[in-house]
Amino acid sequence: MASPMRNLMANPTKYVQSFRVFLANSTEHQSMRNFMERQLPDVIASIGNGKSAINILSIGGGAGEIDLLILSKVQARYPGVTINNEVVEPSGDQVSKYKEHVAKTSNLGNVNFTWHEETAHEYESRMKAEKKSKKWDFIHMIQVLYYVKDIPATVQYFHSLLEAQAKLLIILVSGTSGWETLWKKYGSSFPLDDHCTYISAADMKKMLDSAGMKYQQYEIPSQMDITSCFIEGDKDGELLLDFLTETCDFNKNAPPELKHQVLEELKKPGCSEERDGKVFFNNNLSAIIVEP
């Protein structure tokens, strides 16, 4: 009998719900903000040298919170310079939220926004069909490569669009994170279909090494409170389990043995640590900055 388990990405509304619960329970965005405050100014220090306009491409820009922080750092480094910020984001819901965030943010007078409601692959296919190869000063792909079919080819393509002083920023879960432990052990039991590929920064480094690309790496510590996952009937806990396993209604549809094994694994030191009666999942990230 076919498994009733379906990939979370097959239900975009459920995905966005579970993603928002993930953000509310994790330090993901705060950890990224810390990286943007401390390390990003060095990363972008030369991307706009001598330019009258800086072109930035955001792949999977989501609701724009992190994108706007990146833009503020570029503005601080290059005051008054025009910034052309193009966003590739397949979720119409997320694009709407992004536009709302822009409308509420002051000091964006020198930034031009263009949104493309499409996937990275659709963007690449369209550019090739239109025979366009626009060059970029900064491209970022933050927590997005899990949803790309051919990761090496996608990275190669966007890398090929970098200007001489440009940078490509990739953020993924760290090879030392709980994600790595959980997915290396149980990923083959989750319904990935064509929607999702598990990849960590450790896998990314191997790809970049084999392609001969130069890069730097920064670790970004992060955690997620998953205590609610162990409370029977807790709605947020069920959504977090969906997000952790990329499975729609995992609690309801997973075989009982798999559900038991995953919940046991989530409590182990390879995934999480227990403090003050709570369970904190290791959500560490890695930022990889690829040179042209």
Side-chain angles (χ1 to χ4, degrees):
M1 189 177 120
S3 166
M5 291 202 299
R6 286 170 65 234
N7 184 271
L8 185 58
M9 291 297 286
N11 185 333
T13 306
K14 197 74 182 257
Y15 173 81
V16 169
Q17 276 181 329
S18 65
F19 178 62
R20 294 206 172 127
V21 175
F22 159 71
L23 286 182
N25 283 273
S26 75
T27 62
E28 171 111 349
H29 271 185
Q30 188 51 52
S31 300
M32 282 192 201
R33 281 191 189 95
N34 293 342
F35 170 78
M36 301 303 170
E37 295 290 345
R38 292 169 193 164
Q39 274 90 25
L40 190 68
D42 288 343
V43 173
I44 59 168
S46 59
I47 62 167
N49 285 356
K51 301 207 165 207
S52 57
I54 296 169
N55 296 319
I56 298 177
L57 182 61
S58 163
I59 304 297
E65 298 101 327
I66 298 298
D67 283 21
L68 291 175
L69 184 56
I70 290 171
L71 289 169
S72 73
K73 295 299 165 197
V74 176
Q75 286 176 310
R77 174 69 184 84
Y78 301 99
V81 174
T82 299
I83 299 170
N84 299 312
N85 186 67
E86 293 201 26
V87 182
V88 175
E89 169 54 56
S91 163
D93 183 52
Q94 294 286 73
V95 169
S96 296
K97 289 272 187 300
Y98 196 133
K99 289 177 178 177
E100 285 171 24
H101 281 126
V102 168
K104 290 177 193 162
T105 306
S106 56
N107 306 323
L108 291 174
N110 64 323
V111 184
N112 302 314
F113 288 91
T114 309
W115 288 273
H116 305 284
E117 200 176 305
E118 57 192 354
T119 65
H121 179 68
E122 286 164 350
Y123 173 86
E124 179 182 342
S125 301
R126 183 168 60 81
M127 287 296 121
K128 286 178 174 172
E130 293 172 6
K131 297 195 165 39
K132 289 181 181 170
S133 61
K134 184 173 178 179
K135 294 284 186 174
W136 301 90
D137 301 304
F138 189 50
I139 300 175
H140 52 87
M141 313 175 89
I142 297 175
Q143 292 288 54
V144 75
L145 284 171
Y146 321 108
Y147 310 113
V148 162
K149 275 186 191 165
D150 188 336
I151 295 168
T154 298
V155 172
Q156 286 271 16
Y157 171 72
F158 286 104
H159 181 261
S160 74
L161 305 182
L162 293 176
E163 289 278 20
Q165 298 289 323
K167 296 284 188 287
L168 167 62
L169 167 64
I170 296 169
I171 295 183
L172 289 166
V173 295
S174 167
T176 63
S177 68
W179 296 98
E180 183 82 336
T181 307
L182 180 70
W183 277 80
K184 287 287 186 266
K185 196 160 183 179
Y186 293 106
S188 59
S189 302
F190 301 149
L192 291 187
D193 311 325
D194 284 338
H195 295 290
C196 176
T197 309
Y198 177 71
I199 177 173
S200 72
D203 304 314
M204 190 75 243
K205 283 171 66 181
K206 285 179 195 149
M207 282 182 207
L208 295 173
D209 287 338
S210 68
M213 293 185 192
K214 289 193 298 193
Y215 60 89
Q216 294 168 290
Q217 184 180 3
Y218 300 87
E219 286 298 296
I220 305 175
S222 177
Q223 64 180 27
M224 167 169 50
D225 183 348
I226 59 167
T227 314
S228 60
C229 292
F230 306 97
I231 301 168
E232 196 63 45
D234 188 292
K235 287 284 174 279
D236 281 359
E238 289 178 3
L239 285 166
L240 280 180
L241 270 177
D242 288 1
F243 194 77
L244 282 160
T245 61
E246 283 289 327
T247 304
C248 207
D249 297 317
F250 179 80
N251 202 45
K252 191 168 70 184
N253 295 328
E257 183 57 23
L258 176 63
K259 184 180 155 186
H260 173 74
Q261 288 172 342
V262 165
L263 286 169
E264 286 300 303
E265 192 67 39
L266 284 171
K267 282 184 177 171
K268 290 180 183 173
C271 280
S272 305
E273 63 170 321
E274 294 195 45
R275 292 195 313 272
D276 306 323
K278 293 189 169 184
V279 184
F280 292 97
F281 183 79
N282 178 332
N283 188 54
N284 288 357
L285 309 166
S286 289
I288 298 173
I289 292 102
V290 191
E291 308 286 334

